[in-house]
Each structure stands twice: as structure tokens, then as C-alpha cells.
Amino acid sequence: MTYQEALKKAEEYLVSRGIDNAPVDAWYLMEYSCKCDRSWFLMNREKEMPGPSYARYQSMLSDRARHIPLQHLTGEQEFMGIPFMVNENVLIPRQDTEILVEEALKVIKPGSHVLDMCTGSGCIIISLMKYKQDILGTAVDISNAALDVAKENAARQGVCIDFIQGNLFQNIDGKYDAIVSNPPYIPTDEISKLMEEVRCHEPAGALDGREDGLYFYRQIITKSCGFLKDGGWLLFEIGYDQGLSVSEMMKSAGFSDVRVIKDLAGLDRVVKGKLP
């Protein structure tokens, strides 16, 4: 079977299994399993695919058909132009979260000490340290398995971060110029409605924001004032309908310059505010 024929059959197979973006996933799995890029494929698409490559490709397609996330099969997801290792112990970095990093970069100054709460893969703090020179990074997560992933990502990107295992501020000392966080924010009752790739293969603890989805915002906002320097910033990623609730909580806690930032679809995505 030629490469082109194999790709076409793969697309049809994934479509028949209800996979969103089947053509895209079929291509990425070919690229990964055959170690080829688009230019090579276009020049060699009429060639016969070697048996071992075809077998590897079919195995990965079978896994994807069972709704195992593409990123878990390839072990990688790009975020802010940086490749991050991912597995079942961390949320897969999403483009929406890049807005949080972009907003943080606007207010974090060189020399700042930044705390990343609920770090997961480490994509937020690592991206900040790659794009903003001379900042110090501390990252905390309740999951040791997630921290193992974050540590590996930091090592791969050559950044030095102080990683701490703990429940929110449990083991945190000192004060910071900024706290950034993408905490669990999906209401418990909504998790069963998520797509299978998320519901069954991403860590539930990184998704579940308790009854109304706002539990971790309340905890972090209430306690963050004791860990922020005067003039320090608190920045959150939020759910599409949580902007008003989170921004009002921050104002009530004494934060100023509180703003809700929307994504390209016009949905609430980030809330940020400054401690006077």
C-alpha cells in the first residue's frame, strides 16, 4: 500500500469512528509513525509504505479510534511555539491558555518572581520564563505525577524552576510579584458531558472545580493576598461564563485594575487584577 493510499484509508477509518478532525489526526499520526514531514510525503506518496511503518501506523490509528488523545499517542503538544511532553497525568496544553501567558507577559517585569499555581505540565511558567528574561519561577501542584512531567519539560527547555508539591499554598513561603493559575474550573456535574478524549483520558483532578466550578478561585483569591507583594498581579484562566463571578471575587478581595479578557470567539478567558 502506498503512503497516499494509507493516509486516505486512515482518514476514512477515523471518520467512521467519530473522531473529530480525522484528516488532521490521520496526517499527524503518519508523520509521527513514519518520521516524515509534509514535503517528504508529497515527494514519496506513491511509494510503498514499508511493513514496519505500516504496522506502527495502524496500531496508532487503532488507539486513536478508541478516543485516546492524539497528544497522548505522540507524547507531545506545542504551546506558545514550544514542544511540551504530555501524558495522562497532566492536562493537554490548549491554545486558549496562551491568552493567559500573553496577558502575564504584559505585566510581569524582568527580575520578577512568579508563582504558577496548579502547574500541570508546566507550560505556563516555562513559557513565561522562555519569553521574559531574568524572571524567577516557582510552580506548585498537588500531583507528584504532574510535577514529574513539568520537571522534564523544564529540563528540556533549559529553565530552572523551583517545583513544590502541595495543595495550593500549603507549602509556599515568601511573596511573589505575580501569581498565575489555570485551576480546575469545570463544575462537577458538567464533567460527564465533556468529549470522551477529555472525560476518560485527562486527569479528573485537573478538571473538577467542584459544585459551581469556582471553588479553586475562591481559595486562591482569598489566600493570594498573603503571598503577593504590593502591586503584585493575580491572573487566572477561566471558563467561558465565569468572568463576572471571578472578577467580582477579586474586587471584593481588594484587587484593583481588575479586567476580564475575552478570546477570539468573544468568550471570557482570563481575569487579571493587581494588589494595591
Side-chain angles (χ1 to χ4, degrees):
M1 182 177 295
T2 68
Y3 284 92
Q4 183 167 267
E5 290 169 341
L7 181 60
K8 180 175 176 53
K9 286 190 64 175
E11 293 174 4
E12 294 171 349
Y13 173 64
L14 293 181
V15 167
S16 73
R17 295 301 189 272
I19 301 299
D20 292 338
N21 300 317
V24 173
D25 286 8
W27 163 250
Y28 278 124
L29 290 176
M30 173 169 281
E31 183 180 50
Y32 181 82
S33 61
C34 298
K35 306 291 189 290
C36 65
D37 59 19
R38 184 69 72 174
S39 296
W40 186 94
F41 173 80
L42 292 174
M43 294 176 61
N44 296 275
R45 55 189 171 185
E46 299 298 336
K47 291 184 178 180
E48 288 291 314
M49 182 183 285
S53 296
Y54 183 74
R56 185 164 55 248
Y57 188 38
Q58 295 306 302
S59 177
M60 297 189 78
L61 289 168
S62 178
D63 287 340
R64 184 68 187 98
R66 293 190 289 116
H67 292 267
I68 296 175
L70 173 72
Q71 295 87 347
H72 288 178
L73 299 177
T74 64
E76 187 175 282
Q77 171 64 32
E78 184 177 287
F79 179 84
M80 294 293 294
I82 302 168
F84 285 91
M85 182 186 88
V86 294
N87 60 27
E88 69 279 1
N89 296 308
V90 297
L91 287 183
I92 297 167
R94 289 166 169 81
Q95 188 174 12
D96 289 339
T97 307
E98 293 186 356
I99 300 172
L100 174 59
V101 175
E102 291 164 358
E103 290 298 319
L105 288 170
K106 294 177 183 178
V107 298
I108 293 173
K109 299 176 181 178
S112 294
H113 194 176
V114 181
L115 173 64
D116 181 14
M117 183 71 60
C118 309
T119 193
S121 68
C123 65
I124 295 171
I125 189 65
I126 292 170
S127 296
L128 289 172
M129 296 185 73
K130 293 289 285 187
Y131 286 105
K132 180 72 71 170
Q133 297 297 313
D134 300 322
I135 67 172
L136 300 174
T138 297
V140 61
D141 203 287
I142 196 170
S143 166
N144 275 316
L147 288 173
D148 286 342
V149 175
K151 290 174 184 177
E152 176 63 24
N153 280 322
R156 291 184 181 190
Q157 297 305 320
V159 296
C160 184
I161 297 170
D162 183 18
F163 288 104
I164 299 172
Q165 190 278 329
N167 185 3
L168 301 181
F169 293 99
Q170 178 184 21
N171 295 318
I172 301 298
D173 293 314
K175 294 202 172 186
Y176 298 83
D177 298 284
I179 298 173
V180 295
S181 183
N182 178 17
Y185 60 71
I186 299 173
T188 302
D189 289 346
E190 296 296 315
I191 290 177
S192 63
K193 303 174 186 177
L194 297 174
M195 61 190 299
E196 186 175 343
E197 282 84 346
V198 178
R199 185 180 72 250
C200 298
H201 297 285
E202 297 201 66
L207 297 169
D208 192 348
R210 309 288 176 90
E211 184 176 2
D212 62 357
L214 300 173
Y215 172 83
F216 290 96
Y217 297 113
R218 293 190 189 94
Q219 295 295 312
I220 295 170
I221 291 169
T222 299
K223 298 174 182 177
S224 63
C225 296
F227 294 90
L228 278 171
K229 298 177 183 177
D230 292 344
W233 287 87
L234 177 62
L235 302 98
F236 289 115
E237 178 174 333
I238 57 171
Y240 72 94
D241 59 352
Q242 295 174 328
L244 179 60
S245 297
V246 176
S247 61
E248 288 301 319
M249 280 191 275
M250 289 180 66
K251 291 175 184 176
S252 295
F255 285 86
S256 63
D257 298 331
V258 177
R259 291 183 57 204
V260 179
I261 312 299
K262 295 185 179 295
D263 59 22
L264 293 177
L267 303 175
D268 295 347
R269 186 54 57 191
V270 168
V271 175
K272 66 179 183 179
K274 182 170 64 173
L275 196 67

